[in-house]
Amino acid sequence: MLLSKKWLQDFVEIPTNLSDQDLAERISACTVEVEEIISQAAPLEKIVVGKILSVNPHPNADKLRVCEVSLGTIDDAPVQIVCGGSNLAEGQKVAVATVGAKVKWHGEGELVEIAPTKLRGVDSFGMICSANEIGLATGQEGEKEIIDLSYLDAEPGISLAEALNLDDTIFDVDNKSLTNRPDLFGHHGMAREISALLSTKFSEFVPKKMSGGKGFSLSVNVEDPELCPRYMGVVIDGLKVAPSPGWLQKRLLAVGMRPINNLVDVTNYVMLEIGQSLHAFDANKLENSGGKEKTVEIIVKRAADKEKFKTLDGQEHELNSDVLMICDGKKSVTMAGIMGGQNSEIDENTTTVFLESANFNSACIRKTSQKLGLRTEASLRYEKSLDPNLSELAMARTIELIFELAPGAKIVSPIVDASNFELNQGPIVLSVKKLNSKLGFEIDIKEAISVLERLGFEVKEKAEELLVKIPSWRATKDISIAEDLIEEIARVYGYEKIVSSLPTAAVVSPIKDPVRELSRKARHILAERFLSIETYNYSFVSPVTLLRMKENLVDYIELANPVSKERPYLRRCLATNLLENVEKNQKFSDSVSLFEVGCRYIAELPGDESGEGKVLPRQDNWLGLAFAKKGNDQPFREVKRALGGLLEELGYSFELKVPEEKVAWGHPSRLAEIFVAEQIVGYLTEVEPGVAADLGLDSRTAVGEINLTRLATLSISEKKYEKIPEFPDVKRDLAFIVARSTEYSVLEKSLQKVSELLHSLELFDIYQGQGIDPDKKSVAIHLTFRAADRTLSSDEVEKEMGKLRTVITDEFSGIIR
């Protein structure tokens, strides 16, 4: 938002010894951020008033003229300038960009620095400018022609900025820092704030009293007062649309508003001055339900669903019942608080206007503006919760200005005021003790009261308390509790005046969270050693996915108000969302290895207390891992390798056992439970082929999960170090066929028990398929033999191999391959 210093000075005294920079810094430190200070004169540097002494044809170009221009130099020597303007004349005063000035060539593109040059063979030492070439365009016709300054009482050579009184300073204020201050979206409100900051005189705006007139019948019906707490209207006749006077145009241009005509400009001027948006309708374009003449009928109501409405910018919008509309007796004429319609806009034939000054629900305006992608100066203000009392002030000021600009204007209707609002203005009780405690020092109570009163609050001192009444312009949503008042006192008093000191506190180490530490270590291990990628999912799951995984929905906690209707349940395992991740990612990669750390929600197990005497569901932290790779038919082994390696690196000894209960969506034989210190801490399983197909998984997929909350309570294994063996290992492979139901863990124990020289064994293949009976499986293992005092001979190793073969054939009815 742009603020004019001169405009501000209409209401507040700014000390002459206070620089613009200091003022901006004071405003930024206490109220809102000033992003830039703009001097109106700066862009016009080296641009002066010149007087054309002669205009001659160019010898080599029909459309160019060679001008002799007086610039009021000491020797009064004229300057030769070649120009293509069609409205050049002898004796005409013009704007001349001298050598070194910067202009926009034909009003387009980047700034170009003027330098001596030759145009079609003739020397030129400057440029005679049009309005759009030097940033003075107002949008009026003819501004591409040379700007005629003959009306100015200015001598040649005087700076153009001085001649046009363009000596204002513009403060560019960040709108985002004004969000909670609707009272500052106008010069009047900002002047009040500056007055409080500088302790200088503030001139409250007191418009002339309004009174209704006769000639038109006017009725206003607000169907939903919650969306429109106040609506004021009046009909004014005897008008003539014309350009606004220079002073008004100049002020609008100074703050970035393009002048249009006197009636529209007045409403924009008042909006920028007071902060209240208004709208003027051509009264002769408004219809009423009875078809009566000189009757204005206004209805404030919600739009009809799928209603079409064309706004002033020519765009057609499709509306719904969430949009508030201003209607006449037969049609919608304005999108309330956002933009007017083409069907009632002011044009050059307008002589009678209906003037609206209203207050609208901030949330309604914000939602409509966002939905339609239509942001306007009006919506910007209304969505901040304007003071309903501004409607009356703005109406009075607008009528005052219309009468000033159009002497023949008169009010020809009653001034209708449909209001239904109530502001909570307190009083707020502010304890002096609380004030000092929050500030961190004892402030002079008279200083605190002075600050509040300068800001417009009414204060009564009672014992050790202040009773503070909130001004209406701060009572919409800004000020409501004692802490708000303390903040007001602190910022105006000056944060820089408050002596900073470190709080006194014991420096102690934070309490360690073992689950968090374990989780952090596990993340690093899986990502760095096993090249798995971490994923983040919400805790919500889809019933569609659960049913495909053969889960019972009754076991799941259903949310009363889910974030997404498609995911109303809380997960009982991480696999649900991980498998969805695998399905989406397998399209982009042949190998997918994803892990996640998150909570499970188990309703039937007790968790923490809720603070209301109730017990929450169990919410342990789990780590989940999913793996799938095209062409890999042993994903179970990969997950086992990763989770086993993770546990070993974390320092835990683990054991895999066949579970008593199967996982609903898991493979009937490729699954295991993970035990640490005789306690179940997790599981791993391959996804059952039918379920995998239903989930859209292209490759065999395995999943494993570990309960980090439980694991963190268990002791890690003691690390033991062994000497590097003096004698070499002897390695053998052994393949055999056993019953499909044979558990590898049982087989492993039996083999280790029978041979003292067997140092280790490792399963590297299980095969079930062609050439193997359906109730059998082929198992292949690596065997490592070692002796502590000698190198084993082939005979010794073969003897041990014989023992192992005997165990396989006798105890497990196996067939050696």
Side-chain angles (χ1 to χ4, degrees):
M1 184 176 72
L2 301 179
L3 295 169
S4 159
K5 183 178 179 180
K6 282 191 171 182
W7 204 339
L8 291 169
Q9 288 175 315
D10 286 353
F11 305 106
V12 61
E13 290 183 3
I14 299 176
T16 55
N17 61 349
L18 183 69
S19 70
D20 295 336
Q21 183 64 40
D22 289 340
L23 176 59
E25 288 178 359
R26 180 70 169 145
I27 294 172
S28 296
C30 301
T31 307
V32 295
E33 183 179 352
V34 177
E35 295 187 319
E36 186 180 4
I37 303 172
I38 305 166
S39 170
Q40 274 191 317
L44 300 177
E45 186 179 1
K46 296 186 178 182
I47 300 177
V48 300
V49 175
K51 184 176 181 179
I52 298 177
L53 302 178
S54 66
V55 181
N56 299 304
H58 193 289
N60 303 316
D62 294 338
K63 293 185 178 181
L64 296 179
R65 301 288 182 271
V66 180
C67 303
E68 295 292 322
V69 183
S70 171
L71 298 182
T73 55
I74 296 176
D75 57 3
D76 203 27
V79 175
Q80 181 172 286
I81 299 176
V82 178
C83 181
S86 62
N87 60 331
L88 296 169
E90 289 185 10
Q92 183 181 28
K93 291 181 182 179
V94 292
V96 177
T98 61
V99 173
K102 294 182 178 181
V103 301
K104 285 190 175 182
W105 195 259
H106 298 302
E108 300 174 352
E110 299 296 323
L111 290 172
V112 177
E113 185 172 332
I114 298 298
T117 187
K118 281 191 176 184
L119 294 176
R120 301 294 294 271
V122 177
D123 291 329
S124 182
F125 300 93
M127 177 177 175
I128 301 174
C129 304
S130 64
N132 61 355
E133 289 172 328
I134 54 177
L136 298 181
T138 63
Q140 307 294 333
E141 291 185 8
E143 291 186 332
K144 291 186 178 180
E145 297 294 339
I146 298 305
I147 183 171
D148 189 351
L149 302 177
S150 300
Y151 67 92
L152 289 177
D153 183 17
E155 294 297 321
I158 190 172
S159 73
L160 184 62
E162 183 180 349
L164 296 177
N165 293 319
L166 296 175
D167 55 353
D168 200 357
T169 299
I170 308 301
F171 298 101
D172 186 357
V173 174
D174 176 23
N175 282 353
K176 296 187 292 295
S177 59
L178 285 173
T179 300
N180 66 317
R181 293 294 302 273
D183 60 306
L184 299 185
F185 275 88
H187 285 76
H188 182 257
M190 187 62 78
R192 181 194 295 113
E193 184 75 11
I194 293 173
S195 170
L197 299 181
L198 303 181
S199 297
T200 56
K201 183 180 178 182
F202 173 67
S203 300
E204 189 67 62
F205 179 67
V206 182
K208 295 178 182 178
K209 189 175 182 181
M210 300 182 296
S211 57
K214 295 182 180 180
F216 270 73
S217 173
L218 173 60
S219 65
V220 173
N221 176 25
V222 180
E223 292 188 357
D224 193 339
E226 184 179 347
L227 298 184
C228 181
R230 190 172 194 180
Y231 191 96
M232 296 186 68
V234 66
V235 181
I236 303 175
D237 194 13
L239 301 170
K240 182 179 179 180
V241 175
S244 297
W247 68 267
L248 197 155
Q249 289 194 40
K250 193 180 296 183
R251 280 213 163 166
L252 292 179
L253 287 169
V255 293
M257 185 73 72
R258 181 176 66 88
I260 298 174
N261 59 56
N262 53 354
L263 298 182
V264 175
D265 291 350
V266 163
T267 59
N268 287 335
Y269 183 91
V270 173
M271 176 184 69
L272 296 170
E273 183 173 69
I274 295 178
Q276 168 72 40
S277 177
L278 302 99
H279 189 70
F281 307 78
D282 187 326
N284 293 320
K285 295 180 180 179
L286 300 178
E287 302 175 278
N288 60 79
S289 55
K292 299 177 183 178
E293 293 186 359
K294 294 190 175 183
T295 298
V296 175
E297 180 183 356
I298 297 297
I299 304 170
V300 184
K301 63 180 182 178
R302 294 175 182 268
D305 283 329
K306 297 187 177 180
E307 177 181 345
K308 300 289 178 60
F309 183 72
K310 184 174 287 188
T311 46
L312 286 170
D313 58 1
Q315 299 297 313
E316 186 173 72
H317 303 273
E318 184 175 304
L319 313 178
N320 59 27
S321 59
D322 293 331
V323 180
L324 187 66
M325 301 298 292
I326 311 299
C327 311
D328 62 16
K330 294 185 178 180
K331 62 184 181 299
S332 296
V333 291
T334 292
M335 199 180 299
I338 298 179
M339 187 178 286
Q342 285 189 338
N343 57 11
S344 62
E345 70 175 319
I346 290 174
D347 56 34
E348 65 275 7
N349 300 315
T350 299
T351 57
T352 308
V353 300
F354 168 67
L355 182 64
E356 163 198 284
S357 183
N359 184 274
F360 301 111
N361 180 276
S362 59
C364 174
I365 301 302
R366 174 71 173 174
K367 289 177 182 177
T368 301
S369 175
Q370 293 285 87
K371 180 180 183 296
L372 300 178
L374 195 58
R375 296 277 287 170
T376 63
E377 289 287 341
S379 69
L380 173 69
R381 287 163 172 79
Y382 280 122
E383 66 187 24
K384 303 298 189 294
S385 299
L386 290 177
D387 175 11
N389 292 289
L390 284 181
S391 299
E392 185 175 355
L393 184 66
M395 174 75 79
R397 177 60 169 155
T398 305
I399 292 173
E400 182 179 72
L401 286 174
I402 288 176
F403 284 177
E404 180 181 333
L405 302 184
K410 59 182 178 179
I411 295 176
V412 292
S413 77
I415 299 174
V416 176
D417 185 0
S419 61
N420 182 25
F421 68 91
E422 184 177 346
L423 298 175
N424 181 13
Q425 295 182 251
I428 297 175
V429 178
L430 175 58
S431 162
V432 175
K433 182 179 179 181
K434 182 175 184 178
L435 171 63
N436 291 330
S437 173
K438 292 290 185 181
L439 291 178
F441 71 100
E442 289 191 10
I443 190 173
D444 185 345
I445 196 62
K446 291 182 179 179
E447 174 70 16
I449 293 173
S450 173
V451 167
L452 292 173
E453 289 178 340
R454 296 201 306 268
L455 289 169
F457 295 88
E458 295 180 17
V459 185
K460 291 183 180 179
E461 191 175 358
K462 182 180 179 181
E464 291 298 311
E465 293 180 338
L466 301 180
L467 302 181
V468 184
K469 183 180 179 182
I470 310 168
S472 63
W473 58 86
R474 301 294 298 277
T476 51
K477 284 185 178 179
D478 184 15
I479 304 293
S480 59
I481 57 177
E483 283 74 9
D484 294 332
L485 298 176
I486 295 171
E487 181 184 2
E488 294 296 298
I489 294 169
R491 68 179 182 84
V492 176
Y493 175 80
Y495 293 120
E496 73 281 357
K497 296 180 183 178
I498 301 176
V499 179
S500 60
S501 61
L502 292 174
T504 303
V507 180
V508 295
S509 300
I511 298 174
K512 291 185 177 181
D513 184 345
V515 177
R516 183 184 294 273
E517 288 190 0
L518 190 64
S519 169
R520 186 180 295 114
K521 290 179 182 177
R523 284 184 168 103
H524 284 295
I525 293 169
L526 286 178
E528 295 171 6
R529 179 177 167 187
F530 297 100
L531 305 180
S532 190
I533 298 173
E534 185 171 8
T535 183
Y536 291 87
N537 291 303
Y538 287 112
S539 298
F540 317 122
V541 290
S542 164
V544 175
T545 302
L546 293 176
L547 292 174
R548 287 173 179 170
M549 293 176 68
K550 301 179 181 180
E551 292 285 299
N552 189 346
L553 297 183
V554 177
D555 296 335
Y556 285 76
I557 299 172
E558 184 174 5
L559 298 172
N561 185 26
V563 175
S564 169
K565 293 181 180 179
E566 287 74 27
R567 294 177 175 270
Y569 295 99
L570 288 174
R571 63 188 176 194
R572 290 176 63 89
C573 67
L574 305 187
T576 313
N577 289 331
L578 280 173
L579 291 175
E580 289 183 353
N581 298 148
V582 172
E583 186 274 328
K584 292 175 182 176
N585 283 276
Q586 66 185 0
K587 303 171 186 176
F588 311 105
S589 177
D590 290 342
S591 178
V592 179
S593 179
L594 302 173
F595 74 92
E596 179 183 10
V597 175
C599 291
R600 284 180 169 193
Y601 302 86
I602 312 300
E604 63 270 20
L605 297 178
D608 297 331
E609 291 188 5
S610 65
E612 300 176 356
K614 298 180 180 179
V615 177
L616 296 170
R618 176 73 63 83
Q619 301 175 40
D620 287 352
N621 272 280
W622 285 70
L623 178 144
L625 172 68
F627 176 86
K629 184 177 182 180
K630 291 179 181 178
N632 187 322
D633 58 355
Q634 294 187 9
F636 181 85
R637 181 181 176 187
E638 293 296 330
V639 172
K640 175 193 170 187
R641 182 180 69 86
L643 294 184
L646 170 66
L647 289 170
E648 287 178 356
E649 194 152 332
L650 290 173
Y652 294 97
S653 297
F654 71 97
E655 185 179 4
L656 298 180
K657 296 183 179 180
V658 177
E660 296 181 3
E661 295 184 6
K662 308 296 183 184
V663 179
W665 46 271
H667 194 282
S669 60
R670 300 188 188 104
L671 77 164
E673 288 179 339
I674 305 171
F675 282 76
V676 173
E678 301 300 322
Q679 292 192 43
I680 297 177
V681 296
Y683 74 94
L684 57 146
T685 183
E686 186 175 324
V687 181
E688 192 271 326
V691 173
D694 290 342
L695 292 174
L697 301 175
D698 296 339
S699 306
R700 289 173 62 172
T701 305
V703 178
E705 295 188 44
I706 294 176
N707 188 332
L708 297 178
T709 301
R710 181 174 297 175
L711 190 64
T713 64
L714 304 176
S715 300
I716 61 175
S717 305
E718 182 181 354
K719 289 185 178 180
K720 295 181 180 180
Y721 296 90
E722 296 179 354
K723 289 182 179 181
I724 297 175
E726 296 181 24
F727 302 97
D729 294 336
V730 178
K731 299 182 182 295
R732 294 284 191 274
D733 287 344
L734 183 61
F736 48 88
I737 298 173
V738 291
R740 189 169 185 171
S741 60
T742 302
E743 295 180 17
Y744 175 73
S745 59
V746 177
L747 177 66
E748 182 181 32
K749 288 180 180 179
S750 297
L751 295 177
Q752 287 179 326
K753 185 177 179 181
V754 76
S755 174
E756 294 181 358
L757 297 178
L758 180 61
H759 181 264
S760 63
L761 66 164
E762 179 186 2
L763 174 68
F764 71 88
D765 184 50
I766 296 178
Y767 173 73
Q768 293 169 290
Q770 187 175 359
I772 305 294
D773 292 342
D775 60 343
K776 303 287 186 180
K777 62 183 175 182
S778 174
V779 178
I781 56 178
H782 291 304
L783 302 170
T784 301
F785 297 94
R786 180 191 301 171
D789 55 353
R790 67 189 186 280
T791 299
L792 293 175
S793 66
S794 298
D795 291 339
E796 288 179 297
V797 173
E798 188 57 38
K799 181 178 179 182
E800 297 302 310
M801 289 290 292
K803 294 179 183 179
L804 301 180
R805 294 188 187 100
T806 300
V807 170
I808 292 169
T809 56
D810 292 353
E811 293 187 22
F812 296 95
S813 302
I815 301 172
I816 305 299
R817 300 187 71 183

